[in-house]
Every structure is written in C-alpha cells, then in structure tokens.
Amino acid sequence: MLTQRQLFLKHVAQTSETPLMLEIVKAEGVTLTDINGKKYIDLIAGISVSNIGHCHPEVVKAVKEQAEKYMHLMVYGEYIQSPQVKLATLLATIVPEHDSCFFVNSGTEAIEGSLKLARRFTGRKKIIAFRNAYHGTTMGALSLMDNEYFTKGYHPLLPGVEFLNFNDFDDLNKIDTSTACVVVEFIRGEVGGEVASFDFAKKLRERCNKTGALLIADEIQTGFGRTGKLFSFMHYSLQPDIIAIAKAMGGGMPIGAFMASKNLMQSFANPALGHLTTFGGHPVSCAASYASLQIILQMDLEREVAMKEKLIRSALVHPLIKSIDGKGLLLAIDFGNENINQMIIQKCLAKGIITDWFLFAPHKMRIAPPLNIKEQELSDACKIIVQCADECNAGMK
Ligand code: PMP
C-alpha cells in the first residue's frame, strides 16, 4: 500500500520538484504539529493568511455555526445571505469610501474583477503595473507580471499592459488619459518588502487623479493588519479607487473581494451581469471572515505590530544579514545570497521554525508570523534563526 506521502506525490498536482512535504496533523495558534509529533513555529502564516493564528476558536465557532445553518445557496448576488451582508457592512464602516464589496474566492480573482471593473468604468484599455510585482496567476493577473520566468509558456497575455519602475517619479508620466488603471502594492510582498515612499504614493495618486486612471491597491498580502495598519494604503493618507483583498480576510477560509464606491461598482450592472461567480462570498467563508475581522479590529495593530517588528529587527543582528526590509510583520531578511538563505531556511526547518523565501527575492528570508504571536515565541524563534545563521557562517569558514 502506498503511504500518504507517496499518494500525495502521485495524485496531488505539484508545482515544483521539491515540495516541502511537511505532513501536518494539527494547527493551533502559531504551532503546526506533524505526523511524528514534531512541532513547528509558523513564521509565515501560510503566506500571510493566518493573521490571527491557526484555527482561532472564534473562527472555528463561526464556521461550525454557519455550516449548520446553510452552505452554498445560489450563485453570487441573487439571494440575501446574512453572512455576506454582515461582512460587507462591516467592511463599509472601515473604508466608507468603498461602500460596495464584490466577493470572490481568492486573491487572483479579486485582481481579475478589479481589472474588469476599471476597464468597464473608464472605457479605456491600457493597464499599468509595476516591474517585479506579483498579483496572482490567472491570465489577467499574470499579465501584470513582467517576469519572463513566470510568464513564458502562457503567451499571448492581455494586450495593453505597461510596466513602470517602482518608486520612480519619472515613470509616472506613462500614466495617461488612455490608462484604465494602475495596480500597485504599496508595500510589496514578493519582491522582498519594498516600501513605497510617501511622496511616490502621493504623486501616484495625483497622477491618477489628473489622468482619470483608477488606482487599484492590491492589499491581498498586506491587508488585515500585516503592515501595522488594517490596509497598507492607510500609511499614506490616500484613498485608492479599488481595493483588492483576500488571504487573511477569511481567517483561514477561502475568500477574496474587491471594494469600490457604489457608483463605480454599479457599472457591472449596466449592462447586466458584468462579473459573475458561483461560490464567491461563500456563507461559511463570510462568517469566518467576519469573526476574524472582529478580532483584528480589537487588536491595537499599530502598537502591537510595530513592537513585534522592533523585536525582530533588534534580535536578528548577524554578520550574514545585510538588511531587513519590509514593514510591520511583512519582513524580508536579506542574506545577500540565495544559497545561504536556502541553507538557513533548511536549518531553521530542522529546528522547528518555518520561514520561506520570496518569489522575486530568493536571497531574502520571509518573516510574516501570525500577528498575535507572543513576544516570547517570537524572540525564541529569532534566537534559533541567529543560531542557524551562525552554523551556516561556521560551515563556510
Ligand atoms: N496579490 C498578491 C500581492 C499576492 O501576494 C498574492 C498571493 N501570493 C496574490 C495577489 C494572489 O492571491 P491568490 O493566491 O489567493 O490567488
């Protein structure tokens, strides 16, 4: 008989030759337990998903309660479903300028919907994205990626996409009156924690205002408190036109959304049925999301996330560490070298600490733990990272 490991490799489609293959039987808070009883501290939160830890009791309760009432009823937008209404209403109180929420199932779908909305509303074709950005891998979102490694083999992609350099003021002039939208992550995940300067974000907003291009904020990785504010655009005293969210939104359940003003969103209804989804805004996911958001809103995000960022920055001092990029609890430890980074990541894993690298920055280690990780857990984990860096350093001498 084949083992579960063998069946995994045989029947669950793989996207790399070297999957991590941790066989997890339980996840609670910041701890994952594998089939042999070995415990791991999760310093990446399933890539910025489990912002309030795994299996938060309030989320589990909400899931159970909703599953016992009803699950899927009807394709999106036809029936009044209380979990959707409650969640959309709560989101609208947080971002009142974006009082209309279109629920989907994932981040990439949130981007697809945002792009379609921008094109329909403006009647324009050109889409602008930034170099080395990651916005998902469905065809539209993939078209926002300039990186040939990920896109070759899938052409032709969406025509009419142009790429700008991030934090480059001159490039903003490429946004013109034929531009439907500009998609931006103000604090960029997959490039390894690159932060938009305040002035750049301001000028970007101004240029969009001047040309009538819509500004789409991808808050899929940065949202729900990860950078120390509920959404990363909130660091910049500006409002995007469309906000794309997913990942931590569901407290561990699959859900995404894009939010805009009612006026903007209305263009999907004229002509009718401008965007459709069967499962988007699944009632169980909405119930989980509502419970999770309530918990995040009760946290003193600014204080807590900033304090933990400081803890990491002062604990991770080592000759192999060139810099620590990013903001809040979306941090990128730059080891300046992919092999060294991989070696340290593997050593950490062996010692029960889960970290990761970044798609466009393989030399940087990802630290993005649940936001409610305890200080002691975080400082213990940092000590292990330093110890692994020491071992790696010693091995190189
Ligand atoms: N945008 C950003 C910034 C992301 O980090 C991701 C996922 N890593 C996505 C979009 C796509 O989200 P999903 O995997 O849910 O489709």
Side-chain angles (χ1 to χ4, degrees):
M1 208 175 80
L2 295 180
T3 63
Q4 179 144 271
R5 238 178 134 74
Q6 289 164 325
L7 289 167
F8 167 78
L9 288 173
K10 192 163 183 223
H11 296 300
V12 180
Q14 303 300 314
T15 57
S16 92
E17 299 288 334
T18 52
L20 266 173
M21 304 270 281
L22 293 184
E23 201 170 337
I24 302 302
V25 292
K26 178 122 185 92
E28 207 173 7
V30 298
T31 309
L32 304 185
T33 307
D34 79 5
I35 192 154
N36 303 312
K38 178 170 173 178
K39 294 200 183 303
Y40 296 86
I41 299 291
D42 183 359
L43 286 193
I44 53 172
I47 318 250
S48 297
V49 169
S50 309
N51 281 12
I52 56 166
H54 295 270
C55 287
H56 192 290
E58 291 298 319
V59 175
V60 173
K61 183 166 161 261
V63 166
K64 282 186 181 161
E65 283 177 6
Q66 183 53 41
E68 280 173 4
K69 285 186 199 143
Y70 58 84
M71 292 193 265
H72 181 257
L73 295 179
M74 174 55 177
V75 297
Y76 182 81
E78 297 295 328
Y79 294 176
I80 300 171
Q81 301 184 38
S82 145
Q84 288 183 348
V85 177
K86 270 173 73 177
L87 178 58
T89 307
L90 179 58
L91 285 165
T93 60
I94 298 165
V95 278
E97 295 80 2
H98 303 81
D99 56 350
S100 182
C101 184
F102 195 115
F103 291 116
V104 291
N105 305 283
S106 65
T108 200
E109 282 175 76
I111 294 293
E112 297 293 332
S114 304
L115 296 178
K116 281 177 67 182
L117 183 60
R119 276 201 170 159
R120 183 173 262 195
F121 183 79
T122 60
R124 301 174 180 181
K125 293 193 175 62
K126 186 158 116 182
I127 291 172
I128 289 191
F130 288 91
R131 294 210 165 81
N132 272 327
Y134 182 89
H135 298 291
T137 56
T138 49
M139 277 298 189
L142 188 68
S143 306
L144 306 181
M145 219 189 269
D146 68 319
N147 191 303
E148 264 294 299
Y149 176 85
F150 290 99
T151 59
K152 70 170 181 281
Y154 303 116
H155 287 265
L157 300 175
L158 272 189
V161 181
E162 276 185 31
F163 297 99
L164 309 188
N165 291 319
F166 196 67
N167 274 334
D168 182 331
F169 288 84
D170 292 339
D171 260 14
L172 293 178
N173 293 323
K174 293 180 185 153
I175 304 169
D176 58 23
T177 51
S178 69
T179 309
C181 60
V182 181
V183 186
V184 65
E185 237 192 327
F186 289 103
I187 296 172
R188 311 176 81 201
E190 292 313 315
V191 76
E194 195 180 1
V195 180
S197 74
F198 192 85
D199 284 347
F200 180 74
K202 192 166 153 241
K203 285 277 181 305
L204 170 60
R205 179 67 271 185
E206 281 170 14
R207 185 73 193 160
C208 287
N209 288 348
K210 194 164 173 207
T211 55
L214 299 184
L215 184 58
I216 301 175
D218 180 340
E219 294 283 351
I220 292 162
Q221 187 160 168
T222 48
F224 297 93
R226 174 107 343 246
T227 67
K229 291 206 186 262
L230 197 63
F231 297 116
S232 68
F233 73 80
M234 293 174 169
H235 291 288
Y236 296 94
S237 318
L238 56 76
Q239 291 293 337
D241 298 295
I242 304 176
I243 309 169
I245 52 178
K247 283 191 179 273
M249 179 181 181
M253 291 291 284
I255 188 167
F258 50 103
M259 295 186 291
S261 68
K262 188 80 191 158
N263 176 40
L264 220 163
M265 200 69 91
Q266 205 60 29
S267 42
F268 273 154
N270 181 25
L273 307 183
H275 196 62
L276 300 172
T277 165
T278 296
F279 283 122
H282 192 283
V284 178
S285 294
C286 283
S289 177
Y290 184 84
S292 170
L293 183 52
Q294 295 271 28
I295 291 155
I296 292 173
L297 291 175
Q298 283 156 23
M299 290 170 74
D300 183 352
L301 279 176
E302 277 180 44
R303 194 193 62 79
E304 204 169 324
V305 173
M307 181 261 290
K308 288 171 190 172
E309 173 183 358
K310 214 165 140 200
L311 189 159
I312 295 171
R313 286 185 182 276
S314 52
L316 293 186
V317 177
H318 191 275
L320 286 183
I321 297 176
K322 313 284 173 233
S323 66
I324 300 184
D325 303 319
K327 191 165 177 61
L329 287 176
L330 178 49
L331 294 179
I333 316 303
D334 190 349
F335 286 108
N337 176 299
E338 181 176 346
N339 291 336
I340 292 176
N341 191 30
Q342 282 301 336
M343 215 184 296
I344 298 173
I345 290 171
Q346 291 307 323
K347 282 180 184 294
C348 284
L349 196 59
K351 291 186 201 298
I353 302 293
I354 299 174
T355 62
D356 195 16
W357 45 283
F358 291 89
L359 269 188
F360 304 130
H363 53 290
K364 293 184 182 181
M365 174 190 272
R366 186 193 304 268
I367 307 282
L371 309 180
N372 57 355
I373 187 171
K374 294 191 180 74
E375 280 170 68
Q376 192 61 53
E377 291 167 328
L378 196 53
S379 72
D380 289 350
C382 287
K383 275 187 199 132
I384 295 175
I385 296 173
V386 170
Q387 198 185 328
C388 292
D390 272 341
E391 285 176 19
C392 182
N393 213 6
M396 292 189 313
K397 280 177 187 154

